[in-house]
Amino acid sequence: MINLLIFLFIISPMIAPLRMMILAIIVLIKFEITHEYFLWAVLIAALFYFNLRSDNFVQSLLGHYEIGGGLIDFILISLLPSSLPTSGFRLGAISLAIILLCGFGGEHRQELANGFLAPAAFTISPSYLPLLLASAIACRSRSATAVISFAFIMQLRSRFLKLLVLVIAITVISLECYHRHHYISAYGANFWNAISNSRLWQWQQLPSKAVGIDGAISRIGTVKFHNAFVDFRVISGSWLLPFWWLCLVISTYQYLPSSILFSFIFVQFFWYNSSVILFGWFFLINKKRIFLDDYSNFY
């Protein structure tokens, strides 16, 4: 049952209320308080307080209708059990990779690659990693390509294959940067803004007051600011909340391999916290925690 729900969560269309209901059912079936409950409690209390000051409290509570990421998603993720089975997640990631490789996914293909394919690269058999990497490349996601390539290299023993994957990753990312620079610079953007999809300019145009999770739209028309730390700055109006979120993430270093921790932080610098990215990465984080707990109990 849980495996089926996880599988459906991954391959579901980008309808945030649907994913929220699936996640709520998973949490109700296997309710669990996380080890970082104090850090989560303070974060959720702060989010609720700033949402009260939002111009759109309901949307800040529920999140965007396609990508989610509202207060309820954060609450559910904080209760996500660490004892969830992995077979549904792996099968869902493989199925999603095939779906994305076939050209489906629309404008959210890169988000799906970063939210599901990237964390799955650390749990899946190396024989499936070429599929995940090809799918990330097809989605034209530089961050997902980098993370999956990194996970691939970590699992390979052959120096030749490691070098081959590294060359492929560098080539793909370089070509994608060139393509974006060539396209966006035609509209007057400078080099760094061009290769970052105008995100650097966007991050310089932040609201001066707290606006809640989705109380304001970014200056270039997106709901999120494509950086989780900048998002928390926009939510709260100060850099204290982003620092707290960073502390929460770093607190997982006790049981999380540094390769996964740094990969998650890397993705956080280029993506917002949608329901997809929150679930995919915290599913991986929680599985590493339960593995360490089992290992400790064994000895």
Side-chain angles (χ1 to χ4, degrees):
M1 177 64 175
I2 296 292
N3 275 319
L4 177 60
L5 290 171
I6 294 172
F7 177 81
L8 291 176
F9 186 94
I10 293 175
I11 67 168
S12 294
M14 293 300 292
I15 303 175
L18 174 61
R19 280 200 166 93
M20 186 186 300
M21 287 189 292
I22 296 174
L23 182 56
I25 295 172
I26 293 174
V27 170
L28 288 174
I29 292 175
K30 294 179 74 76
F31 177 81
E32 182 178 312
I33 300 296
T34 65
H35 289 57
E36 298 83 20
Y37 63 89
F38 173 73
L39 294 173
W40 275 110
V42 173
L43 176 72
I44 290 170
L47 291 176
F48 179 78
Y49 170 75
F50 291 120
N51 280 354
L52 289 175
R53 303 167 63 182
S54 169
D55 294 333
N56 193 335
F57 177 79
V58 174
Q59 184 165 321
S60 294
L61 182 69
L62 301 177
H64 188 259
Y65 69 94
E66 289 185 340
I67 63 179
L71 177 60
I72 293 180
D73 281 327
F74 280 96
I75 295 173
L76 292 174
I77 291 298
S78 72
L79 301 174
L80 189 67
S82 58
S83 56
L84 293 176
T86 58
S87 53
F89 186 80
R90 291 170 180 167
L91 180 59
I94 293 171
S95 302
L96 178 64
I98 296 173
I99 292 172
L100 296 176
L101 201 55
C102 292
F104 298 101
E107 62 178 325
H108 298 289
R109 299 176 72 206
Q110 295 181 1
E111 179 184 346
L112 291 167
N114 282 274
F116 293 132
L117 303 190
F122 293 96
T123 64
I124 212 164
S125 169
S127 59
Y128 291 104
L129 287 178
L131 173 63
L132 300 188
L133 181 58
S135 183
I137 293 173
C139 292
R140 300 178 62 181
S141 173
R142 293 169 292 179
S143 51
T145 299
V147 171
I148 295 172
S149 298
F150 176 62
F152 203 173
I153 291 172
M154 293 283 290
Q155 297 187 51
L156 290 173
R157 295 183 178 179
S158 169
R159 291 185 178 180
F160 172 75
L161 292 178
K162 288 184 177 182
L163 180 61
L164 178 62
V165 173
L166 179 62
V167 170
I168 291 174
I170 293 175
T171 302
V172 169
I173 293 172
S174 299
L175 288 174
E176 187 60 31
C177 287
Y178 171 78
H179 172 79
R180 297 189 187 200
H181 173 262
H182 180 73
Y183 176 77
I184 298 178
S185 61
Y187 295 91
N190 62 35
F191 175 79
W192 293 110
N193 271 324
I195 66 172
S196 65
N197 284 22
S198 296
R199 290 175 186 174
L200 295 179
W201 177 85
Q202 184 183 8
W203 296 340
Q204 295 172 359
Q205 310 295 320
L206 302 179
S208 58
K209 63 177 183 177
V211 296
I213 292 178
D214 269 337
I217 304 298
S218 66
R219 295 296 181 87
I220 60 172
T222 59
V223 175
K224 305 292 185 180
F225 284 78
H226 281 84
N227 182 305
F229 302 104
V230 173
D231 281 346
F232 282 118
R233 154 63 180 81
V234 174
I235 289 169
S236 62
S238 75
W239 289 102
L240 183 59
L241 193 61
F243 177 74
W244 190 265
W245 174 248
L246 180 63
C247 291
L248 192 155
V249 173
I250 292 178
S251 69
T252 62
Y253 80 95
Q254 305 172 63
Y255 50 83
L256 199 64
S258 57
S259 58
I260 296 178
L261 178 59
F262 290 138
S263 295
F264 181 43
I265 294 175
F266 175 77
V267 170
Q268 289 282 286
F269 271 107
F270 297 100
W271 282 94
Y272 41 74
N273 275 323
S274 65
S275 57
V276 165
I277 289 178
L278 285 171
F279 179 85
W281 281 98
F282 278 98
F283 179 93
L284 174 64
I285 290 171
N286 287 349
K287 293 311 296 181
K288 293 301 178 180
R289 175 193 293 122
I290 197 67
F291 174 81
L292 181 63
D293 290 343
D294 291 343
Y295 182 84
S296 301
N297 293 334
F298 179 78
Y299 284 98

